[in-house]
Amino acid sequence: CLERMVKLMIYCNLKESTPVSATYYYGDTVSNLSGEFAVTRSLRLEVIKQPEKCGELTYWLGQLLYKYRNDFANGKFREKIAYEC
């Protein structure tokens, strides 16, 4: 994952959401969405589970949070999101 010299992608699919928070599956490929994280409108991020067969992605989740911060802060939790690292 992080050892590759190519650009890393983080893919996320919405698991569930409420008006104030959402839980996403995530991973480094669309076929490896084995990790989970939660995010709130107040922009709190909690890693629930790291994806299998992949390195630490917590830093990059922070970058993803920054990219989508306006949507999250307004309670707009998209079905699918991605971030190119």
Side-chain angles (χ1 to χ4, degrees), residues 11-73:
Y11 299 94
C12 309
N13 284 353
L14 185 65
K15 177 182 176 183
E16 59 189 8
S17 67
T18 69
V20 296
S21 67
T23 302
Y24 284 90
Y25 295 113
Y26 77 101
D28 63 332
T29 65
V30 292
S31 61
N32 178 28
L33 298 178
S34 56
E36 276 187 53
F37 73 91
V39 64
T40 67
R41 286 182 67 173
S42 60
L43 303 180
R44 293 198 66 193
L45 176 71
E46 177 188 357
V47 176
I48 299 166
K49 179 183 172 192
Q50 291 289 338
E52 299 169 6
K53 302 178 185 176
C54 186
E56 173 70 41
L57 296 178
T58 304
Y59 171 80
W60 300 112
L61 284 178
Q63 298 298 307
L64 180 136
L65 177 70
Y66 182 77
K67 177 180 179 180
Y68 292 100
R69 70 190 178 281
N70 291 330
D71 284 349
F72 293 155

Side-chain angles (χ1 to χ4, degrees), residues 3-17:
E3 300 84 33
R4 297 184 198 150
M5 297 305 289
V6 297
K7 292 190 181 214
L8 173 71
M9 290 290 297
I10 296 179
Y11 299 94
C12 309
N13 284 353
L14 185 65
K15 177 182 176 183
E16 59 189 8
S17 67

